[in-house]
Amino acid sequence: MNHTRRLLTTGLALSGVFGFIDASFAKAKHHQHNGAKLVGDKLKSNGQHVIDKKGPHTVSVDIKDTKIAAFHVKHANKGDLPVKKYKTNKKMARADGMQYATFIQVQDTYLGMTYIGYSYFDDYGDEQIYWYPYDMILDGDTGAVEYIAV
């Protein structure tokens, strides 16, 4: 009886420790946004345009000759935040909301289409990614790394 009680107590203690360790190594969430939808008609006029605001973060794009020339994120207190540029052949965001490429029907896929995503990390450590078709970006390949969905 004592042996069983000790084994049960040890098992419960270890499960609590492993649960705590697992929670401490939790990965940041990736939030996908349809950047093309957010830009909309602003693509027709040159200059810097604000496309989204999330708390203290203001997301803006520079438009030059109907193409996105630059992507900026400014924090209200910290100033400009670093932006990472991704590329993928999978459609990560749709006009009616986010949908991972694995759930997209065959009719919705574009063969050979490349998407460019600009991302930043918010105050909670979550990555916010804004996706655009390659043909909307002025210089799509420069500085872009391959995106691997998590």
Side-chain angles (χ1 to χ4, degrees):
M1 187 72 168
N2 268 345
H3 179 66
T4 305
R5 192 178 315 150
R6 272 191 242 142
L7 186 60
L8 181 63
T9 304
T10 304
L12 287 172
L14 286 176
S15 67
V17 168
F18 287 127
F20 178 71
I21 290 173
D22 187 39
S24 66
F25 289 112
K27 294 183 180 178
K29 295 178 187 174
H30 296 250
H31 299 279
Q32 318 289 338
H33 304 281
N34 188 336
K37 180 181 173 186
L38 293 171
V39 169
D41 289 337
K42 297 173 187 171
L43 201 61
K44 295 176 183 174
S45 60
N46 288 343
Q48 188 171 24
H49 302 281
V50 173
I51 60 167
D52 200 13
K53 288 189 177 201
K54 295 204 175 290
H57 300 94
T58 302
V59 179
S60 61
V61 292
D62 289 345
I63 307 291
K64 181 179 178 186
D65 300 328
T66 69
K67 301 272 186 184
I68 295 172
F71 185 90
H72 307 282
V73 180
K74 188 168 188 164
H75 190 278
N77 302 325
K78 300 176 186 175
D80 289 335
L81 295 179
V83 174
K84 188 171 186 178
K85 189 175 182 182
Y86 291 116
K87 68 179 174 179
T88 186
N89 291 331
K90 297 177 179 139
K91 192 170 187 179
M92 298 304 294
R94 293 175 31 168
D96 57 351
M98 189 280 297
Q99 184 172 9
Y100 287 107
T102 54
F103 300 119
I104 293 176
Q105 296 178 354
V106 175
Q107 296 87 344
D108 291 339
T109 59
Y110 298 98
L111 297 176
M113 179 63 123
T114 301
Y115 293 90
I116 302 297
Y118 292 97
S119 75
Y120 71 94
F121 286 94
D122 62 14
D123 292 338
Y124 304 106
D126 294 339
E127 189 170 23
Q128 306 288 332
I129 308 173
Y130 293 80
W131 291 102
Y132 302 91
Y134 183 84
D135 57 351
M136 285 181 73
I137 308 297
L138 186 63
D139 190 11
D141 286 333
T142 304
V145 297
E146 193 67 34
Y147 179 74
I148 299 170
V150 206

